[in-house]
């Protein structure tokens, strides 16, 4: 399976990256959920939430890791789904998936940035 | 034992495109699905094509889909599977149909070759016997997966084969895993490259259809998981190449 697609080693490294990012995501999702439940149950307003996130390197760092894990994990999974469902393989698929990874990272980091400054 | 005395059997006739033909087959005690097919061919319609050999679960040639599930027909009793005295028998899925219940197993075995499923030793008759301790880890792992008889039941049951025709499939990967654990084999670097990636072990979704349906009670899913780990480790170390020798 090459026809303009990734090398076998690259394919396996993608798989490995997806497993590794899944581990990171599992932890991040739990922290994220606990945070949401805390914020909702304590009736925190948007201003109060922003008061905690602004200038906080800890929150910015945590969500930056979360975004990075999503940007790695989701596109690799989508790559399999697209190839299995629509028989889409090769370089064009890899480029499309790369664009999606960049878009996810861009949106995610922009959101992290905007609650930080 | 049988409540009613006949069985309505829908049998696939034709190739990829074809139709079902229904036969009335008398029921007997301890009747197998292969007995049913044989009755149809010998007594009702001699043009029906099917494949079998040993009739005792040794050769693996009698596999067909019975009521939607791939099975060895010689080891499947009608009483176990005939819901409401009906049987539907079709050729194995994921393989080209030659005629009626006979599939072309070529792609299945070609993938064994692609997975470098052939033992490659480094010794000659001049060497002493290789000593492989029965209790060694490798020997036990190979033992657990070695009894495959190449029936294609797992291959026919795997959705990933349906979705990705290049996927090597559970049996070929299971075979590669036994060789990876064969300490005498000298081809494992190339083999690991051959079985890794999008068309290899990393495509497996761990559905476990193969493991649930393997009549030999093997666990190709576990073998594939072992391959995934070994290949990922080799890829991280930079030892996994596309280059396939010979
Ligand atoms: S475990 Fe893997 S090989 Fe087995 S049926 Fe599922 S996807 Fe196919
Ligand atoms: S692994 Fe099991 S189901 Fe698959 S070919 Fe071998 S014996 Fe048949
Ligand atoms: S005829 Fe040999 S396994 Fe069924």
């Amino acid at each position: 399976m090459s026809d303009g697609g990734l090398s076998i080693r690259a394919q396996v490294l993608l798989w490995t990256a997806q497993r590794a990012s899944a581990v990171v995501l599992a932890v991040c999702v739990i922290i994220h959920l606990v945070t949401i439940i805390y914020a909702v149950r304590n009736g925190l307003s948007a201003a109060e939430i922003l008061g905690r996130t602004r200038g906080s390197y800890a929150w910015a760092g945590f969500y930056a890791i979360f975004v990075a894990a999503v940007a790695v994990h989701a596109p690799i999974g989508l790559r399999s789904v697209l190839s299995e469902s629509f028989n889409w393989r090769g370089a064009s698929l890899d480029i499309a998936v790369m664009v999606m990874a960049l878009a996810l990272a861009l949106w995610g980091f922009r959101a992290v940035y905007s609650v930080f400054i | 034992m049988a409540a009613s005395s006949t069985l309505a059997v829908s049998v696939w006739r034709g190739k990829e495109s074809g139709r079902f033909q229904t036969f009335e087959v008398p029921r007997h005690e301890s009747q197998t699905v292969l007995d049913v097919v044989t009755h149809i061919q010998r007594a009702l319609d001699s043009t029906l094509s099917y494949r079998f050999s040993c009739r005792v679960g040794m050769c693996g040639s009698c596999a067909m889909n019975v009521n939607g599930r791939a099975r060895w027909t010689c080891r499947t009793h009608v009483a176990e599977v005939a819901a409401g005295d009906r049987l539907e028998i079709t050729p194995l899925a994921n393989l080209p149909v030659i005629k009626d219940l006979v599939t072309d197993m070529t792609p299945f075995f070609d993938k064994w070759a692609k997975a470098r499923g052939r033992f490659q030793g480094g010794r000659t008759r001049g060497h002493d016997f290789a000593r492989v301790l029965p209790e060694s880890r490798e020997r036990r792992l190979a033992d657990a997966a070695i009894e495959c008889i190449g029936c294609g039941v797992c291959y026919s049951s795997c959705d990933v084969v349906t979705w990705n025709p290049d996927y090597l499939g559970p049996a070929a990967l299971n075979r590669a895993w036994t060789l990876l654990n064969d300490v005498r084999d000298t081809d494992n670097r190339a083999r690991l490259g051959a079985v890794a990636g999008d068309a290899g072990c990393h495509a497996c979704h761990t559905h476990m259809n193969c493991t649930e349906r393997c009549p030999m009670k093997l666990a190709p899913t576990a073998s594939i998981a072992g391959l995934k780990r070994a290949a990922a480790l080799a890829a991280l170390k930079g030892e996994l190449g596309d280059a396939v020798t010979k």
Side-chain angles (χ1 to χ4, degrees):
Chain A
M1 276 261 301
S2 30
D3 47 316
L6 300 173
S7 72
I8 296 289
R9 177 161 186 251
Q11 293 169 17
V12 176
L13 289 178
L14 278 186
W15 179 89
T16 312
Q18 207 202 16
R19 297 301 141 125
S21 57
V23 174
V24 176
L25 278 178
V27 177
C28 289
V29 166
I30 291 170
I31 297 176
H32 181 60
L33 284 177
V34 169
T35 309
I36 293 175
I37 291 167
Y38 174 85
V40 170
R41 297 200 59 185
N42 288 284
L44 291 189
S45 67
E48 284 169 323
I49 292 173
L50 280 177
R52 291 165 198 226
T53 60
R54 286 218 163 109
S56 163
Y57 285 96
W59 280 122
F62 168 72
Y63 276 105
I65 291 171
F66 198 164
V67 166
V70 169
V72 169
H73 190 83
I76 301 174
L78 193 72
R79 182 173 173 273
S80 302
V81 172
L82 290 174
S83 79
E84 284 168 3
S85 308
F86 303 107
N87 205 15
W88 185 9
R89 296 189 173 88
S92 63
L93 171 64
D94 294 327
I95 291 167
V97 160
M98 192 67 199
V99 168
M100 180 184 165
L102 289 173
L104 277 177
L106 207 73
W107 280 323
F109 287 130
R110 199 185 65 161
V112 174
Y113 180 71
S114 55
V115 295
F116 176 72
I117 54 150
Chain B
M1 185 185 158
S4 74
S5 54
T6 59
L7 201 58
V9 190
S10 301
V11 180
W12 183 255
R13 303 304 305 268
K15 296 189 168 201
E16 308 291 328
S17 65
R19 65 193 168 80
F20 282 100
Q21 187 178 358
T22 304
F23 297 95
E24 294 279 313
V25 176
R27 287 194 77 162
H28 301 292
E29 191 132 352
S30 302
Q31 190 178 23
T32 65
V33 176
L34 185 62
D35 294 335
V36 169
V37 177
T38 301
H39 175 88
I40 294 171
Q41 205 258 2
R42 300 219 171 136
L44 305 176
D45 185 346
S46 61
T47 65
L48 177 69
S49 300
Y50 68 112
R51 196 188 271 136
F52 75 97
S53 177
C54 71
R55 298 179 294 124
V56 289
M58 298 288 288
C59 70
S61 63
C62 66
M64 300 169 204
N65 270 338
V66 183
N67 288 355
R69 264 172 167 261
R71 299 169 172 281
W72 290 346
T73 51
C74 73
R75 301 293 286 168
T76 303
H77 280 107
V78 171
E80 286 167 43
V81 289
D85 298 321
R86 301 196 139 270
L87 278 185
E88 184 189 279
I89 308 175
T90 54
L92 285 181
N94 294 336
L95 289 163
V97 181
I98 296 174
K99 180 175 174 283
D100 302 339
L101 301 173
V102 180
T103 52
D104 180 359
M105 302 292 281
T106 309
F108 176 73
F109 287 113
D110 280 353
K111 287 178 180 179
W112 285 50
K114 254 192 168 165
R116 301 183 82 77
R118 184 173 55 119
F119 173 74
Q120 178 86 55
R123 292 169 173 248
T124 67
R125 64 181 64 200
H127 288 92
D128 193 7
F129 288 114
R131 290 181 199 286
V132 183
L133 290 182
E135 62 275 14
S136 65
R137 183 173 172 274
E138 286 87 355
R139 176 73 232 195
R140 283 206 225 154
L141 289 171
D143 265 352
I146 201 73
E147 295 290 346
C148 171
I149 63 171
C151 64
V153 163
C154 56
Y155 188 84
S156 169
S157 307
C158 175
D159 290 328
V160 177
V161 176
T162 314
W163 299 329
N164 179 1
D166 287 333
Y167 177 47
L168 293 172
L173 292 170
N174 181 73
R175 170 65 185 159
W177 174 244
T178 61
L179 290 171
L180 202 72
N181 285 294
D182 188 327
V183 292
R184 303 163 306 162
D185 195 286
T186 55
D187 190 36
N188 275 320
R189 192 164 166 157
R191 184 171 293 116
L192 209 50
V195 300
D198 294 344
C201 58
H202 296 93
C204 166
H205 286 248
T206 321
H207 286 153
M208 299 189 72
N209 289 4
C210 55
T211 299
E212 176 175 315
R213 300 208 181 152
C214 171
M216 293 301 291
K217 305 235 177 305
L218 304 184
T221 317
S223 302
I224 294 168
L227 287 177
K228 285 177 182 171
R229 278 193 301 273
L233 215 65
L236 288 170
K237 288 192 203 154
E239 288 169 3
L240 192 74
D242 294 85
V244 164
T245 53
K246 277 184 282 174

